[in-house]
Amino acid sequence: MSESFNYVIFALMIRRFDFKTPECEDDDTETKLYTKADVNVRKEAGKIAG
């Protein structure tokens, strides 16, 4: 039952809100993958600025 529920929810979200899945993204935008170090740098910058 859990797999069916997840499928229905994700299918609804993708269709209703036009969420992009990894293989169905627009070609004109580039996907950026962040490393843990990138995330930590942004957290530190947020602490200093905030």
Side-chain angles (χ1 to χ4, degrees):
M1 175 167 160
S2 178
E3 293 88 13
S4 305
F5 179 75
N6 287 342
Y7 173 80
V8 170
I9 294 300
F10 287 125
L12 175 69
M13 291 174 60
I14 290 167
R15 291 184 186 127
R16 172 87 172 149
F17 301 111
D18 196 27
F19 285 162
K20 301 295 181 193
T21 57
E23 296 161 1
C24 297
E25 296 173 342
D26 296 330
D27 289 336
D28 59 343
T29 58
E30 184 177 329
T31 303
K32 170 77 168 118
L33 298 177
Y34 294 98
T35 64
K36 194 170 193 175
D38 294 333
V39 173
N40 290 336
V41 167
R42 289 202 60 158
K43 282 183 182 178
E44 289 301 318
K47 288 180 184 177
I48 294 171

